[in-house]
Amino acid sequence: MAVFRHPERHKVAVLVRHGMLVMELGIVHRLFGQARSATGERLYEVITCTPEPGDIRTDADFTIPVPRGPEAVAEADTVIVPASSAEYEPTGHQLTPPVAHAMGLIRPDTRIASICTGAFVLAAMGLLDGKRATTHWRSACEFQLEYPRVCLDPDVLYTEDENVYTSAGVASGIDLCLHLIRRDFGAAVANEVARGTVVSPHREGGQAQFIRRPVPEPRSPSTAAARAWALEHLERPLTLRDLAAKESMSTRTFTRRFRDEVGISALQWLTQQRVERARQLLEETELPIDRVAAACGFGTAASLRQHLQAALGVSPSAYRTTFRRTA
């Protein structure tokens, strides 16, 4: 008997284990559960499962009954492995037999993702060998020692390598889920989910996990006003000098403070925002490609095509064809 009841929806299985982090399970259900089509239909069916059905211990003062077993992962289009308390993560490359059995049921074409130290499970199965991955920065050294074949990048929010995705701490699980929704159904759907959850609609995976100065100290200069101004003038050929002038800073000081506050360089951030604006226009308007390029600051259709190909692996016309209907 099938576990998933709605074959028209994208099927997501969340594989939880003892010591599970309650917030991470909630993130997956909340975000994917809010994704709707233009006619209001649910786009995902999310199922929680576990290697051995029953009461699952959590990182809080309660247990959660999970009646569904590992058969759910065999049906899923996407399998997500959240973290568990540290003592339950595999060491010495060993998974418990029930977890190994459950992971072994995943089909080869299934998309697999981890949140936080859930990456240990993927690594123990060999799914990350030779692939770029990340995990919580506190566990990075232990992870590198345990799994030297993995190309670990401990400084980013999330990674994507073929059909395997990993994310850092709890909050970056939000970023990864939104990224997957954006991949599946476009920026408009992902942005609506972000608005409903009251979170930032898009943080690129390459952004730093640990930002030195996420909140400016009282009375210290910030780059927030320059960022807000830039978002209103993306069509202009903005320079570092333009942005620094908005904060009455030297270019050097602005560059340093911007990276401290945002985690990436100002020019990287500008490119991300322009790609996001291009996606929005491609989904929601009928503007010609060259007009889209001009409106988001890339100048020419060729430049837009180059940046969209680098960011998403598709051309502007292909992106519009894929996501216009959903938007």
Side-chain angles (χ1 to χ4, degrees), residues 90-290:
T91 57
H93 315 289
Q94 295 296 316
L95 291 170
T96 64
V99 174
H101 171 70
M103 293 295 293
L105 295 177
I106 300 174
R107 302 191 314 268
D109 60 340
T110 300
R111 183 170 64 186
I112 306 172
S114 64
I115 301 176
C116 196
T117 55
F120 279 77
V121 176
L122 274 57
M125 288 294 294
L127 297 172
L128 299 179
D129 286 355
K131 287 185 168 61
R132 183 168 174 260
T134 193
T135 189
H136 195 287
W137 58 270
R138 283 187 178 138
S139 301
C141 290
E142 177 187 357
F143 189 98
Q144 286 179 314
L145 289 173
E146 286 283 338
Y147 305 106
R149 295 182 180 179
V150 180
C151 302
L152 186 71
D153 187 344
D155 297 323
V156 299
L157 294 176
Y158 57 86
T159 65
E160 172 184 350
D161 196 327
E162 296 179 355
N163 68 332
V164 180
Y165 298 72
T166 62
S167 62
V170 175
S172 64
I174 297 174
D175 299 305
L176 177 58
C177 289
L178 288 172
H179 177 69
L180 295 177
I181 294 170
R182 191 178 298 106
R183 277 286 193 193
D184 293 336
F185 299 106
V189 172
N191 289 349
E192 191 61 31
V193 171
R195 281 193 290 270
T197 319
V198 195
V199 296
S200 174
H202 191 203
R203 292 198 298 172
E204 283 286 346
Q207 189 164 321
Q209 278 192 41
F210 182 73
I211 301 173
R212 296 180 185 175
R213 206 187 323 271
V215 179
E217 297 173 4
R219 295 182 297 280
S220 69
S222 168
T223 63
R227 280 178 272 141
W229 177 81
L231 289 175
E232 295 177 357
H233 300 88
L234 286 177
E235 75 283 358
R236 298 186 182 182
L238 303 175
T239 66
L240 274 175
R241 181 174 296 178
D242 296 330
L243 298 176
K246 287 297 172 183
E247 303 290 0
S248 300
M249 296 181 192
S250 69
T251 302
R252 177 176 295 181
T253 299
F254 179 85
T255 299
R256 183 179 66 252
R257 186 164 293 275
F258 194 100
R259 186 176 286 277
D260 284 347
E261 291 181 6
V262 182
I264 54 178
S265 74
L267 295 181
Q268 286 175 311
W269 179 84
L270 267 177
T271 298
Q272 291 177 7
Q273 303 312 310
R274 284 174 165 148
V275 168
E276 279 302 295
R277 180 68 56 81
R279 293 170 78 156
Q280 177 188 3
L281 293 174
L282 289 169
E283 291 181 26
E284 299 176 3
T285 76
E286 299 292 346
L287 287 174
I289 301 301
D290 58 343

Side-chain angles (χ1 to χ4, degrees), residues 42-119:
R42 290 180 178 270
L43 295 172
Y44 295 93
E45 182 178 4
V46 185
I47 295 294
T48 302
C49 62
T50 186
E52 297 178 295
D55 288 345
I56 301 299
R57 296 187 294 277
T58 72
D59 64 333
D61 62 345
F62 55 85
T63 61
I64 293 179
V66 181
R68 296 184 181 91
E71 62 276 3
V73 303
E75 299 179 23
D77 302 308
T78 296
V79 173
I80 299 179
V81 182
S84 73
S85 301
E87 63 266 26
Y88 295 107
E89 300 299 8
T91 57
H93 315 289
Q94 295 296 316
L95 291 170
T96 64
V99 174
H101 171 70
M103 293 295 293
L105 295 177
I106 300 174
R107 302 191 314 268
D109 60 340
T110 300
R111 183 170 64 186
I112 306 172
S114 64
I115 301 176
C116 196
T117 55

Side-chain angles (χ1 to χ4, degrees), residues 11-69:
K11 300 181 286 295
V12 178
V14 192
L15 183 66
V16 300
R17 299 159 291 136
H18 285 299
M20 60 166 283
L21 276 61
V22 178
M23 184 174 178
E24 294 187 359
L25 176 61
I27 283 170
V28 179
H29 279 273
R30 181 63 176 166
L31 295 177
F32 286 103
Q34 285 192 85
R36 298 287 194 278
S37 70
T39 56
E41 297 169 339
R42 290 180 178 270
L43 295 172
Y44 295 93
E45 182 178 4
V46 185
I47 295 294
T48 302
C49 62
T50 186
E52 297 178 295
D55 288 345
I56 301 299
R57 296 187 294 277
T58 72
D59 64 333
D61 62 345
F62 55 85
T63 61
I64 293 179
V66 181
R68 296 184 181 91

Side-chain angles (χ1 to χ4, degrees), residues 308-327:
L308 211 65
Q309 187 72 39
L312 307 176
V314 295
S315 68
S317 57
Y319 184 87
R320 171 172 274 167
T321 300
T322 302
F323 294 114
R324 183 80 174 109
R325 186 182 300 113
T326 301

